[in-house]
Amino acid sequence: MSSARQAVYLAYGSNLHPRRLEARVGRVELLGLAVLEGWSLRFDKRGGDGSAKANLHAAPGESQAALAAAYALDLHQVSVLDRFEGCGWGYETFPVTFRLRGSLVDGFTYLAPSQWISRAMLPFDWYVDLIVAGANFHGFPQRYVEAISARPARPDPDSGRARAALDALKLRVPGHYSG
């Protein structure tokens, strides 16, 4: 699956939807879906825009699981994605081994180190909408999608940023962003 020229990326946040990821790094190959047993999805990574971003936390011994999409990226795409994710300035790459179609696969994802975590921030509503759109695209269980949708969120004071992000995926733009 991965070679010296390719890496397997696990997307769980706004890059979950292939159109969002492809807008950032170019054409990607979806390898399948991954269940990360013992991990939970949270919105506690401090974003440079003043909002919380998605992050995974180990939840050993708990009956939790995070869902992700596995994508094959070439090494140039990885370096481009590192810049989008603020690698070294917010997220860090994290190796992860997961089961994909019955086989163990080595890949990577992005996690926020403790100095970038804040429980005092909320994500922007449009950011949560991007993740929900990705989860729906991949057919994640409705209960998982509803749990993401139910997270507290707030409007983005930059309505242009919100409209651009939602328009890029052809998602409905809430009325509070018109104008």
Side-chain angles (χ1 to χ4, degrees):
M1 230 161 283
S2 68
S3 70
R5 305 181 70 107
Q6 197 175 50
V8 177
Y9 165 54
L10 277 183
Y12 60 85
S14 66
N15 291 330
L16 190 56
H17 200 294
R19 281 193 304 232
R20 167 76 166 195
L21 184 57
E22 287 179 340
R24 292 177 156 188
V25 303
R27 187 91 176 118
V28 297
E29 177 188 357
L30 174 64
L31 300 175
L33 304 181
V35 177
L36 301 169
E37 298 288 342
W39 289 86
S40 66
L41 176 67
R42 297 185 193 166
F43 289 86
D44 64 359
K45 188 258 180 200
R46 284 187 295 119
D49 59 7
S51 72
K53 304 299 182 196
N55 194 25
L56 292 179
H57 286 266
E62 297 181 26
S63 61
Q64 296 200 30
L67 303 180
Y71 291 100
L73 304 180
D74 68 39
L75 297 185
H76 173 73
Q77 289 174 307
V78 172
S79 67
V80 170
L81 190 57
D82 283 350
R83 288 191 296 278
F84 271 104
E85 296 302 323
C87 198
W89 298 99
Y91 284 116
E92 297 292 340
T93 56
F94 183 82
V96 61
T97 300
F98 61 97
R99 192 166 296 283
L100 182 66
R101 292 179 289 209
S103 299
L104 287 178
V105 175
D106 292 323
F108 78 97
T109 194
Y110 295 95
L111 300 180
S114 60
Q115 68 267 28
W116 287 95
I117 293 176
S118 171
R119 288 176 174 69
M121 299 176 124
L122 292 175
F124 292 138
D125 52 3
W126 64 263
Y127 177 80
V128 173
D129 290 347
L130 289 182
I131 298 171
V132 166
N136 283 325
F137 177 90
H138 293 294
F140 285 4
Q142 195 59 38
R143 185 171 22 186
Y144 190 85
V145 176
E146 288 170 358
I148 296 169
S149 294
R151 304 283 175 119
R154 67 183 178 98
D156 188 341
D158 183 343
S159 60
R161 175 175 48 209
R163 282 193 310 273
L166 294 170
D167 282 345
L169 289 185
K170 299 175 179 34
L171 297 176
R172 184 187 69 77
V173 177
H176 60 273
Y177 291 126
S178 62

